[in-house]
Amino acid sequence: MFKHKGCNHDMHGSHQSDRYAETYIKLSAARVIFINEDITKEAASSFSAMLSYYEQQSKTEDIFVYINTNGGDSAALVHMYDVMQMVKPDINTICIGKAYSAGSVLLAAGTKGKRSAFKNASIMLHGVQLMFPPITEIDQPNSNNYFNFVKSHNDRIMQILSNHTGKDVETIKKDCSRDMYLTPKSAIEYGVIDNIL
Amino acid sequence: MNTLVLEQTDRGDVVFDVYQKLAHERVLFINDYIDSRLAADICATLMLKNFEDPSLKISLLINADGADVRSVFTIYDTMMIVDAPLETICVGAAMEEVVLILAAGTKGMRYATKNSVICPSQLLHDASYQTDLTDAKSLLDNVKYDNKQFITALSKCVGKNYSTVMKDLERKKFMNANQAQKYGIVDFVMEGKKDV
């Protein structure tokens, strides 16, 4: 267990305030990861680094991921999802406030039986959203390619949700065509989580 | 403003942030606007302190002028889960949604300072979207449900029944410390140099 009483000024996380850095350092001894930011490529690389570290420390003890996001980039989401499925220890996911769009997929992707949410948490599912008009430089002839790519990416994420909730892909696509807000009880029925804390 | 202090320990000079030192003494601050980042930090620290010693009390000093709805529920749900006695002290203001955090402390350990302002109300919808009708309806249902959960939780903390609280808080209700004590949001008003 982390024993020192103070925290040197040099040790601060890149995205978390200095004030609470020590809390997270101590919690890391208990194999805890907090996702309380938007899901970006920086978050994805920090997440996969922490998971790899915990797997190296012990291949059998559970890992705990606390989720409180608005969602984010779908490429980062797929990165985090793949790493979650790759590591050997069981991953407990807990929604502590909100798990919207990409966050809901991460919540559902925990080990079956070990996915939970707080009593007053909120979960929202929807399909991949894109900016229109597209920001990247895409010429007219290629824009079809871009939309087809996003469509296939969406299909992949819908398939992920279907695997973890147990519902078939058509139902998921239909439900996620609009923002679908779930209370924790409805989320258990839908198959996103398993119990309420 | 600087919040770092220097302390001499047996390992030499170590720089601490004052808030971290206070967190060692199990005192947490909830300031300004509560966004999801602060809520998760408080949630993590509460769980950690509870794990370290579930019998010693944890103090929350509250001076918040607003909050994101989900953040309030994050902190409230964590407060309900921890075993440690929770002391909440309103120093300054507890506006709208934040009143739930103040009222959710352990009974008998909820304080407000003499000149503080406590202002409960029903939940305000805190985001503006431009959406079409179907999405707007689903959002509205969600907000109504959140409001119901909020009033249920608050009425449990103050010891009144649901419809009384729902009716009282139809409009924002400005209370001073004494009125808040009468309503059941806090147990004591702190005046002068009393020992806490």
Side-chain angles (χ1 to χ4, degrees), chain A residues 17-55:
Chain A
S17 60
D18 288 355
R19 237 177 245 199
Y20 293 98
E22 200 190 356
T23 305
Y24 295 104
I25 294 174
K26 283 191 180 168
L27 282 174
S28 69
R31 297 164 74 78
V32 167
I33 299 176
F34 267 78
I35 304 178
N36 56 338
E37 60 204 306
D38 289 347
I39 295 188
T40 59
K41 57 187 195 312
E42 290 84 14
S45 46
S46 308
F47 185 70
S48 24
M50 291 299 273
L51 275 184
S52 316
Y53 172 71
Y54 289 153
E55 187 190 25

Side-chain angles (χ1 to χ4, degrees), chain A residues 1 4-9 15-24 26-27 34 36-37 66 68 96-98 100 118-122 178-179 181 183 197, chain B residues 4 11 14-17 19-20 24 29 31 36-37 40-45 47-48 52 68 70 73-74 76-78 81 132 134-135 138-139 142 145 149:
Chain A
M1 188 69 189
H4 85 190
K5 288 201 74 173
C7 186
N8 276 329
H9 188 45
H15 53 263
Q16 285 162 357
S17 60
D18 288 355
R19 237 177 245 199
Y20 293 98
E22 200 190 356
T23 305
Y24 295 104
K26 283 191 180 168
L27 282 174
F34 267 78
N36 56 338
E37 60 204 306
Y66 290 87
N68 186 29
I96 60 176
K98 56 186 172 182
Y100 293 159
F118 276 179
K119 199 166 77 127
N120 289 307
S122 174
R178 296 278 184 191
D179 289 353
Y181 287 91
T183 62
L197 288 181
Chain B
L4 300 172
R11 283 167 43 243
V14 183
V15 172
F16 289 103
D17 185 301
Y19 291 100
Q20 267 170 18
H24 274 307
F29 282 78
N31 293 336
S36 65
R37 176 96 23 110
D41 287 344
I42 299 278
C43 172
T45 314
M47 289 199 276
L48 179 67
E52 285 176 352
D68 171 38
R70 296 261 76 82
F73 282 135
T74 301
Y76 173 74
D77 284 335
T78 316
I81 286 179
D132 58 338
T134 318
D135 278 340
S138 127
L139 266 174
N142 199 37
Y145 178 78
Q149 292 294 88

Side-chain angles (χ1 to χ4, degrees), chain B residues 8-148:
Chain B
Q8 299 193 313
T9 66
D10 48 5
R11 283 167 43 243
D13 285 348
V14 183
V15 172
F16 289 103
D17 185 301
V18 163
Y19 291 100
Q20 267 170 18
K21 272 244 100 197
L22 284 169
H24 274 307
E25 312 302 324
R26 302 167 76 95
V27 175
L28 304 176
F29 282 78
I30 298 181
N31 293 336
D32 302 326
Y33 183 81
I34 305 180
D35 58 2
S36 65
R37 176 96 23 110
L38 177 61
D41 287 344
I42 299 278
C43 172
T45 314
L46 277 177
M47 289 199 276
L48 179 67
K49 294 298 158 197
N50 184 49
F51 173 71
E52 285 176 352
D53 189 345
S55 58
L56 285 180
K57 76 170 182 199
I58 303 174
S59 303
L60 291 168
L61 266 66
I62 298 168
N63 179 19
D65 60 3
D68 171 38
V69 168
R70 296 261 76 82
S71 310
V72 167
F73 282 135
T74 301
I75 300 180
Y76 173 74
D77 284 335
T78 316
M79 287 168 82
M80 292 294 112
I81 286 179
V82 303
D83 296 317
L86 286 166
E87 176 184 62
T88 54
I89 306 174
C90 176
V91 290
M95 306 299 280
E96 293 142 24
E97 299 94 347
V98 183
V99 170
L100 178 60
I101 300 176
L102 176 59
T106 310
K107 283 245 165 37
M109 294 170 85
R110 306 171 301 171
Y111 299 85
T113 56
K114 195 168 82 148
N115 294 309
S116 53
V117 170
I118 293 159
C119 177
S121 82
Q122 293 191 21
L123 286 185
L124 308 168
H125 184 45
D126 61 357
S128 49
Y129 294 93
Q130 191 173 25
T131 61
D132 58 338
L133 285 173
T134 318
D135 278 340
K137 179 167 192 313
S138 127
L139 266 174
L140 184 61
D141 286 342
N142 199 37
V143 172
K144 277 202 203 147
Y145 178 78
D146 280 343
N147 195 28
K148 195 154 83 83

